[in-house]
Amino acid sequence: MELTTVWFVLIAVLWTGYFVLEGFDFGVGILLPFLGRAEAERRTIVKTIGPVWDGNEVWLLVAGGATFAAFPEWYATLFSGFYLPLFLILLALIARGVALEYRSKSDSTRGWDRTFFWGSLGPAFLWGVAFANIVRGVPLDTNHEYTGTLLTLLNPFALFGGLATLLLCTLHGAIFLALRTTGELRLGASRMAKSLAPVTILVVMAFLLAAGGGGRPVWWAAVALVALGLIGALAATMRGRDGWAFTASALAVVAVVAALFTGLWPNVLPALDPANSLTVTNAASTPYTLTVMTWVAAVFTPVVLAYQAWTYWVFRRRLTGPSDVPVGPPDVGPSSLMPVDGR
C-alpha cells in the first residue's frame, strides 16, 4: 500500500475518533437545557464529560496537523476556502471550553450554560456542512484555489448534511447520558434517545444516499453498518441496555465517517470541474516526509490510545443525580454527586 493511501486512511481514522468522542460531548451540551431542569441536574450532566472533553478535542488537533503534514495542498485549499466556517467552529469550541471551565466558578451559571449549548450546537451543525461540501465538491480553479463564496458553501445539500450530523451527535449524546447517569436523568436521556432515533435514522440515511459513494461495495457496506448501528442503538435503548446502545451508536458514527471518506477516495477535495480536483497524489507531501511521519505515528499512536482508554476506564462509573440521593446527614445533601457502579 502506498504511503499516500496509508495517510488518507489514518486521517480518516483520526476524524472517526474525533466524531465518536467529541460527538457525544456535543450531544451533551445540546441536551443540557432540555434535560437539566435544576442547577444540580445540570451540574451532573456537565460532570459526565468533565474528565474527558478536553482530551477528546486532541483528535481534532492531530487530524489537522496530520492533514497539514501529509497533504499540504489539501490543507491550504481547505483552510483558505472554508476559512469563515472553520473560524466560526474555532470560536464556538473556544467559547465552549471557557464555559465548561468557568461555570463552576461563577455565582450564576445560566450564561455559561447558554454558551455551552451554542458552543456545542454550532460545531455539530457546521462540521456536517463542511464535510457535505467536501464530498459534493466545490469550485476550484486550475491552481486548486477555492473560487466560491460563503453562500456557495451554504447550499441545500450542505445544510442537509449539517442537520444530519446535528441529529447524529444529539442522539449519541443522549445515549451517552443514559449510560453515565441514573434515576430521572437516565430516564429522561433514554426518552430523548427514543424520540430522536427514528428521525435521525431517516435524515442520516437520506444524506448518505444523496452523497453517494460511486457504487463501491465497501461504501454500501459502510452505509449498511450505519443503518444497523442506529437501529441497534434504538432497540438496545428500548430494552434498557445502555452499554449496547452506546456501542451501536458509536458504530454508526464510525460507519458514517467511513462512508464519507470511502465515497471521497481517491480525491481529498473534489472540484466541480473534475480536472481541478485535489487527489491523494497531487495534494501529498514528498515520500520522505510521509515515511518519517509514518514512523512517528507508529511509535506514538499506541501510547495516545492507551492513555485515553485508561482515562475512560478510570471514569467509567455512573453519576447519580440529585434526586437519587436519599436525605441524610448534612454531608450527604441533595446536590451531592456520588459515583456508583454502572452496568
Side-chain angles (χ1 to χ4, degrees):
M1 183 183 296
E2 294 183 0
L3 289 180
T4 53
T5 304
V6 169
W7 275 98
F8 180 86
V9 173
L10 286 177
I11 290 172
V13 170
L14 290 171
W15 279 108
T16 300
Y18 175 70
F19 283 118
V20 169
L21 299 178
E22 192 80 331
F24 67 71
D25 277 2
F26 292 150
V28 168
I30 293 167
L31 292 172
L32 180 66
F34 303 100
L35 296 178
R37 292 166 295 180
E39 166 56 24
E41 290 177 324
R42 292 192 293 272
R43 187 165 60 248
T44 303
I45 291 172
V46 171
K47 277 180 174 288
T48 61
I49 63 170
V52 298
W53 70 268
D54 49 354
N56 293 344
E57 292 188 347
V58 171
W59 289 82
L60 174 62
L61 299 176
V62 178
T67 303
F68 171 76
F71 300 101
E73 191 75 16
W74 181 17
Y75 182 93
T77 302
L78 184 65
F79 279 77
S80 59
F82 289 49
Y83 179 81
L84 185 55
L86 293 176
F87 182 70
L88 292 175
I89 291 174
L90 177 61
L91 286 181
L93 292 177
I94 292 173
R96 180 172 174 270
V98 171
L100 284 170
E101 291 292 340
Y102 281 92
R103 78 177 305 278
S104 62
K105 301 175 176 63
S106 176
D107 294 333
S108 176
T109 61
R110 286 294 184 179
W112 295 121
D113 288 343
R114 293 190 188 97
T115 303
F116 182 36
F117 169 77
W118 290 108
S120 300
L121 186 148
F125 178 77
L126 290 174
W127 280 127
V129 172
F131 271 90
N133 277 294
I134 292 173
V135 172
R136 171 180 172 268
V138 293
L140 300 179
D141 61 18
T142 55
N143 295 319
H144 305 305
E145 293 183 2
Y146 178 73
T147 58
T149 64
L150 176 62
L151 293 179
T152 305
L153 300 176
L154 299 179
N155 57 80
F157 177 72
L159 296 176
F160 188 58
L163 177 62
T165 55
L166 176 61
L167 288 171
L168 186 63
C169 289
T170 307
L171 174 63
H172 197 37
I175 294 172
F176 174 78
L177 282 174
L179 175 67
R180 292 284 285 115
T181 58
T182 62
E184 287 300 320
L185 278 178
R186 175 180 175 271
L187 293 176
S190 295
R191 286 193 295 267
M192 186 67 71
K194 294 172 188 176
S195 300
L196 285 170
V199 66
T200 302
I201 293 171
L202 291 176
V203 172
V204 170
M205 293 304 298
F207 168 66
L208 291 177
L209 292 175
R216 299 186 180 98
V218 66
W219 179 83
W220 281 109
V223 172
L225 278 178
V226 174
L228 289 174
L230 292 176
I231 294 172
L234 174 59
T237 299
M238 295 182 69
R239 296 182 59 187
R241 304 297 297 273
D242 301 328
W244 283 109
F246 183 75
T247 301
S249 177
L251 175 64
V253 177
V254 170
V256 167
V257 181
L260 292 176
F261 274 87
T262 301
L264 193 60
W265 170 266
N267 296 315
V268 292
L269 187 60
L272 297 182
D273 181 356
N276 298 333
S277 294
L278 283 169
T279 68
V280 293
T281 301
N282 63 22
S285 292
T286 63
Y288 177 77
T289 300
L290 294 177
T291 301
V292 173
M293 289 175 58
T294 302
W295 281 107
V296 172
V299 172
F300 288 102
T301 300
V303 176
V304 174
L305 292 176
Y307 173 76
Q308 192 149 38
W310 174 79
T311 302
Y312 275 89
W313 176 257
V314 170
F315 296 101
R316 69 189 182 279
R317 298 175 183 270
R318 292 181 186 264
L319 296 176
T320 61
S323 60
D324 306 319
V325 182
V327 177
D331 59 333
V332 185
S335 63
S336 62
L337 301 172
M338 302 171 61
V340 297
D341 290 328
R343 291 185 293 175

